Structure formats: structure tokens, C-alpha cells
Amino acid sequence: MRRITIPLGALLLFGAVVASVWAGNINGTKQNDTLRGSARADKLYGFAGNDHIFGLGGNDYLNGGPGNDTVSGGPGADVLVCGPGRDIAVADAADKVAADCETVQGLPKPALSVTGGSQAEGNAGSQPMNFKVTLPRKSPLKVSVSYATADGTATAGTDYTTTKGTLVFAPGETSKTVAVPIVGDTAIEPDETFTLSLSNPVSAVLGSATATGTITNDDKAPHPGHYTGTTAQGESFAFDVAGDGMSISNLSTRVNFSDCDAPLRSFRGLPFNVAGPIPIGLDRTISGSVSGGPPALPASGSIQGSFDAADKASGTLTITLNGNIAGITVNCRSGPLTWSAA
């Protein structure tokens, strides 16, 4: 019988080939190893050392262990774990990459975008305006991005609250919300805007990085027309609101004085008429100086008031009378005289 001798080196090479084809679990050493998987679903562990681990085909599990490792999945849906050290993971979109991998290569970075919206301001307190920050697809990596608001026609502190911070997307998350408090008031004003911008992305790039938020005005001027009511003295009180709702005119009432200088201690029924206009402020308040009365008994003073949400007005009228009646000098003061009209 003919004997065939196979060199020991060839046997070792054959064993290495078989191990490569049928490998299941492959463990490294404490040295700097290069480990290669097979076409099957392998588990490769680098352990200590600065290792290079290649999954090749199949859905592999690769773990670099301690050391500065390079972990490359190859074809298949692989799991890449880097371990302690400064590591590099080479992955594709089908892979899952652990958070302990300091550098990830091969994955296209998703583009972060932000969209704005609008919010009515309300009359008091604050209401949130939501900005939506999104990734176009799931990422196997943790993604973070900074955000901050900036003034447009709206002013921080008056119209909205300055808002800034960092959003963190866990692997697989694609959407986050930033809520910006909108400050309510009763001022009549145009719609106002501000922006929220993204910066400093990690494991992502910036897409549409700035969005506009619109604060819509929900306050209106008082309705135009003729308003009537009474004073605390029981006298009629009337005025007209202009067509644009921004002033009053034709104010008419009668004033009774109980605080007069000697020799006249009181005076009743002074007709008091003001042609106007008296401005209505953007906050729906009335405030201004007034003068009226008969020519022989001129009177002057001030009016304060405001309109409520139902367009009912109320306030105070303060009048001083300085005149002359049959040679008698008249000086009288009304004090704050409350009134209401609708």
C-alpha cells in the first residue's frame, strides 16, 4: 500500500480553513489579535489587546473587549460591542452598534430637522408652542443635538420664554418635541414670530435646522358704537367708540361735587361733555386728560378705565371745577368717581 505523507504545515492550514468555515464562537487572547468569522452567524470575542475583528458573512455578534479595537460587521445584521478603550466600529444600516463605540464608520448620518407651528397667546399665564425635531429614519446610535430660541418680531421675556437645551434620541427613536412657553397678555398687537435653531449634532447632521414659531394675536379692539351706563352718583354716562376701536369721543355725564371751598360747600348737576378723542390703548385701557363743562364753569381732570372680554367698560373719572358764579369763585373736587358702560 502506498503511504501518503502530508506535511504538518499543510495539516495546520487545513485546520485553520475548516475552523474558518465552521466557526461558531471565536475567542481572542490577551495579545493583539485578528479574528475573522465565517459565512455563518458567529460570535467573536477579542478579550484583551488591541484587536481587529471581522464578522464577514452572517448575522454576527462581535465584542472587542478591553483595548483599542476595530470591530467590523460585514454583510448581515450584526451586533457590534466595543468594550473599554478607544474603539472603532465599522457598520452598515442593518447593524446594531453599542453606545460604547467611540467612533462609528460606514453608517450614513441621518439629517436632523425641526418644524415650527403657531399658538394663540392667551390672556394670562403661558401656553406651550411645540416644535418637532425629527430624524428621517431609525439610527442604531444614540443621537443628540442642541437647540435654542431667538427673537424675531417677538421678544423673549415679554412674548415668550427663552428656551434652550439638548435633545437625546435613544437608538431607534425618530421624534422629539421642544415646548416653548408663550406669554399671555391682553394687548392688541400683530402676530409675532421667533425661531428655534438646532446646532452641535452628534451621530447626525443638520437638515432643516431652523424653524419659525408664530404667536397669533387673540385680542381685539372694543366693538365700535355707542356705549351707555351710569356713575356711582346715579348719573348717566355715555360715550362713542370709534370705528377702529382705538378711541372714545362724545363723552357726556353730570357731576355732583361735595368737596368745595368756602363759601360754596357743594355743587350738583354740572354737565360735563368731552368731544374727544380719548385714546384706547393696545391693552384695551382708557387713559387721558379731559376738560368740559359750561363756559362759565370750566372743569378738567382725567379718565381711567378698561374694556373686559365682553367689551364692557368701567373705570373712574376725576374732575376739578374752577369757575365763577355770580361773583363767587367756585373750586370743587369730585374725587375718583366710578362709572361703567356697555
Side-chain angles (χ1 to χ4, degrees), residues 10-256:
L11 286 172
L12 293 175
L13 177 61
F14 176 75
V17 171
V18 171
S20 177
V21 173
W22 298 105
N25 289 357
I26 301 176
N27 297 328
T29 68
K30 295 181 179 180
Q31 307 304 315
N32 299 335
D33 303 313
T34 298
L35 307 179
R36 292 182 173 85
S38 66
R40 301 176 65 188
D42 304 310
K43 294 182 179 181
L44 292 84
Y45 300 87
F47 293 115
N50 302 328
D51 306 312
H52 289 74
I53 304 176
F54 301 91
L56 302 181
N59 301 332
D60 305 312
Y61 175 86
L62 288 69
N63 191 322
N68 301 328
D69 307 310
T70 299
V71 182
S72 179
D78 306 308
V79 176
L80 282 61
V81 179
C82 291
R86 303 296 299 177
D87 307 303
I88 298 173
V90 182
D92 58 34
D95 298 332
K96 294 182 179 180
V97 181
D100 60 2
C101 296
E102 286 75 20
T103 301
V104 180
Q105 299 176 353
L107 285 179
K109 291 185 177 181
L112 284 156
S113 296
V114 58
T115 54
S118 62
Q119 175 64 48
E121 62 183 1
N123 293 329
S126 64
Q127 295 69 230
M129 181 187 295
N130 292 327
F131 289 78
K132 191 174 184 180
V133 182
T134 57
L135 290 165
R137 62 181 182 277
K138 294 180 179 179
S139 172
L141 304 177
K142 180 173 70 174
V143 173
S144 65
V145 66
S146 300
Y147 61 87
T149 53
D151 287 356
T153 56
T155 303
T158 301
D159 302 308
Y160 72 96
T161 301
T162 297
T163 304
K164 60 183 178 180
T166 300
L167 293 176
V168 178
F169 293 76
E173 286 190 305
T174 58
S175 179
K176 292 284 186 181
T177 298
V178 176
V180 179
I182 305 303
V183 179
D185 61 38
T186 56
I188 304 165
E189 54 195 348
D191 293 348
E192 298 169 311
T193 61
F194 65 98
T195 59
L196 186 137
S197 297
L198 306 179
S199 62
N200 303 319
V202 176
S203 299
V205 296
L206 295 179
S208 299
T210 299
T212 298
T214 301
I215 305 171
T216 57
N217 174 59
D218 56 1
D219 300 301
K220 59 183 178 64
H223 69 78
H226 188 62
Y227 287 66
T228 60
T230 58
T231 69
Q233 295 176 340
E235 303 287 354
S236 65
F237 190 90
F239 58 82
D240 296 325
V241 172
D244 62 0
M246 300 307 294
S247 65
I248 67 172
S249 59
N250 302 322
L251 186 154
S252 65
T253 188
R254 298 180 74 88
V255 181
N256 302 316

Side-chain angles (χ1 to χ4, degrees), residues 311-331:
D311 285 353
K312 294 181 179 180
S314 61
T316 59
L317 178 68
T318 303
I319 299 298
T320 298
L321 171 63
N322 293 284
N324 188 285
I325 302 175
I328 300 174
T329 300
V330 178
N331 294 298

Side-chain angles (χ1 to χ4, degrees), residues 241-315:
V241 172
D244 62 0
M246 300 307 294
S247 65
I248 67 172
S249 59
N250 302 322
L251 186 154
S252 65
T253 188
R254 298 180 74 88
V255 181
N256 302 316
F257 298 93
S258 59
D259 179 14
C260 299
D261 295 340
L264 188 65
R265 295 299 183 182
S266 65
F267 186 88
R268 300 185 61 83
L270 175 76
F272 189 78
N273 301 285
V274 181
I278 303 167
I280 298 174
L282 293 178
D283 56 356
R284 295 167 56 93
T285 60
I286 305 167
S287 180
S289 299
V290 292
S291 59
L297 295 172
S300 62
S302 64
I303 186 172
Q304 306 290 331
S306 63
F307 293 83
D308 64 16
D311 285 353
K312 294 181 179 180
S314 61

